[in-house]
Structure formats: C-alpha cells, structure tokens
Amino acid sequence: MKKTTLLYEGKAKKVYLTEDEGLVIQEFKDDATAFNNKKKGSIAEKGVVNNAISCKLFTLLEEHGIPTHLVEKLSDRDMLCRYLEIIKVEVVVRNIAAGSLVKRYGFSEGTVLTEPIVEFYLKDDDLDDPLMNDAHAVALGVATREELAVLKSRAEAINLVLKAFFAERKLKLVDFKLEFGRNNGTILLGDEISPDTCRFWDLDTNEKLDKDRFRFDLGGVEDAYSEVQRRVLGA
Ligand code: UDP
C-alpha cells in the first residue's frame, strides 16, 4: 500500500491517505513535545520504537477481542490503519497516581488507586485539552452518551489486558491515554499506545521508563524507550 496525500501532521505522527479510501498510513516521527507544545525536542529512533510497540499492543488487544484501527505494520515507521473519524475525546485511564492527578487532587505520586479512574479530556490544543465530564462532551457535540459509555467500557477492558501484559514484563502501567474513532458505525481504538502515551515504572525499582524522562529532563530517554520495547517485544 502506498502513501498518497498527507492528511494530517501531528506532534508525533503524520497520517497519509492511500490508494484505498478506507485505509491510511500512520508514520511515526522522532519529534517529541510536552506540556502542550511548550517543550519541543526529538528522541532518536522514537518513531521506530513507538511503531513497533504500538503494533504489538494493538495486535494483543485484537487477540482479546478489542477492535482497533490496526491493519498491519508496513515498515519500521509505518502502520497501515483503517480510516477513522476521530472522536475528539482523550480517554485517560489511571491505576497509580501521577502527573495531573497529583497536581489537581493532591494525591501523593505512586499511590495505588483503589479502582482505576477513567477520565475524559476534550481533544483541543487551543484549550489545553480540558478535563470534562459526560455532560460537557454531549453538550459540545463531540460524542453521544452511548458512545461515551462504549469509550469507558473499552478503556476498562483495555486496561485489564495491558496491566496483566505489562506486569508479566515487570512494568507497572501507571496511566495511559487512548483515542477512539468511528468507522462504518463501529468504534475502533485509534492512535498509538507507547511510552509517549503511557507511564511505565519498573516493577521493582519504580524507575520511570516513559516520556516523563523527556518532560522533566531526567536523562536516558532513548534507553528507557528501548527498554520498554525490549520488554514488550521480548527481544
Ligand atoms: N497523555 C497523553 N497525551 C496528552 C495528555 C496525557 O498521551 O495529551 C498521557 C500521559 O502520557 C500519561 C496519561 O496520559 O500517561 C495521563 O497524563 P496526565 O493527565 O497526568 O497529564 P500530564 O502529566 O502528562 O500532563
């Protein structure tokens, strides 16, 4: 399958149309941004690593009956996907307190939550992706109540599969962000699942192995991403 026109360029990926109108190609870049574009940089080979990790995890989810946009991994940086009409909701699932949960509610970082928390954020960079509830999402017209219920239950099911998978690989799945889209009347998981969109801590040492190393200049960013790749792919 060949790329035709560039449909969209985001912070970490480009999306191309293809000769088949139902399919797009996601190309993973090395560019990295944080704090809604205020911090910019690049992480060597990140695109290759995130494509490999995402393809593996989307395949795993499909094996567990969770529908995704993945068709196949085309090359190092390219993922062939079903075309989605992206739902403008970022779904965050949290198992352990970190990041904005700590800032907003005063949890101590590392507190294990009694049950996972699913949050919705409006996908809108100009507004800094504000946290929203179901009523906001419905009022804004970004999703119906029925769709939001599907997003929540899908996110919970994905969390169960991923938590178990990462635990076997000695990683704690602290939190992560998902995006979904509409395709022929169904909702599919889209975007990516990678150290850019998840927090992973080593099970024994709590060492951070994700984008927080870039966000907070902790060093060893590339090594952390490769370590996650190694554990995920078992290579
Ligand atoms: N996240 C993401 N994209 C965003 C916001 C958050 O991938 O635009 C991920 C982030 O990497 C983390 C989880 O969602 O794994 C929760 O992020 P949080 O709300 O704590 O925000 P942050 O601290 O990243 O600003």
Side-chain angles (χ1 to χ4, degrees), residues 22-24 58 61-62 65-71 80-87 89 91 147 150-151 154-155 158 178-192:
L23 301 176
V24 296
F58 277 67
L61 292 171
E62 290 276 355
I66 294 162
T68 79
H69 69 161
L70 172 69
V71 177
L80 184 63
C81 303
R82 288 175 193 90
Y83 177 84
L84 293 182
E85 181 203 335
I86 288 289
I87 298 173
V89 178
V91 183
E147 286 176 326
V150 172
L151 300 194
R154 277 301 158 82
I158 291 167
L178 303 170
E179 294 185 24
F180 295 87
R182 305 177 184 99
N183 174 286
N184 289 325
T186 62
I187 291 181
L188 306 180
L189 177 67
D191 196 46
E192 64 177 291

Side-chain angles (χ1 to χ4, degrees), residues 90 92 94 99-100 121 129 175 177 196-199 215:
E90 297 199 349
V92 167
R94 303 177 182 275
S100 66
Y121 292 83
D129 295 350
D175 56 32
K177 184 261 306 179
D196 270 7
T197 63
C198 304
R199 287 194 171 94
R215 289 190 186 100

Side-chain angles (χ1 to χ4, degrees), residues 11 34-36 90-94 97-104 119 121 125 128-129 173-179 191-192 194-200 210-212 215-216:
K11 294 171 222 162
F35 310 118
N36 194 19
E90 297 199 349
V91 183
V92 167
V93 183
R94 303 177 182 275
S100 66
L101 196 70
V102 169
K103 267 197 235 141
R104 190 175 294 121
E119 297 171 336
Y121 292 83
D125 284 342
D128 258 344
D129 295 350
L173 179 60
V174 174
D175 56 32
F176 57 97
K177 184 261 306 179
L178 303 170
E179 294 185 24
D191 196 46
E192 64 177 291
S194 73
D196 270 7
T197 63
C198 304
R199 287 194 171 94
F200 300 118
D210 55 60
K211 196 162 137 187
D212 274 352
R215 289 190 186 100
F216 302 110

Side-chain angles (χ1 to χ4, degrees), residues 129-178:
D129 295 350
L131 180 65
M132 64 179 175
N133 65 24
D134 293 43
H136 293 118
V138 172
L140 286 162
V142 292
T144 64
R145 281 205 183 270
E146 294 69 31
E147 286 176 326
L148 294 168
V150 172
L151 300 194
K152 182 160 191 275
S153 66
R154 277 301 158 82
E156 287 166 343
I158 291 167
N159 187 39
L160 288 179
V161 174
L162 295 184
K163 238 186 347 185
F165 177 84
F166 284 109
E168 280 172 19
R169 285 151 183 84
K170 302 259 182 222
L171 286 170
K172 291 183 192 174
L173 179 60
V174 174
D175 56 32
F176 57 97
K177 184 261 306 179
L178 303 170

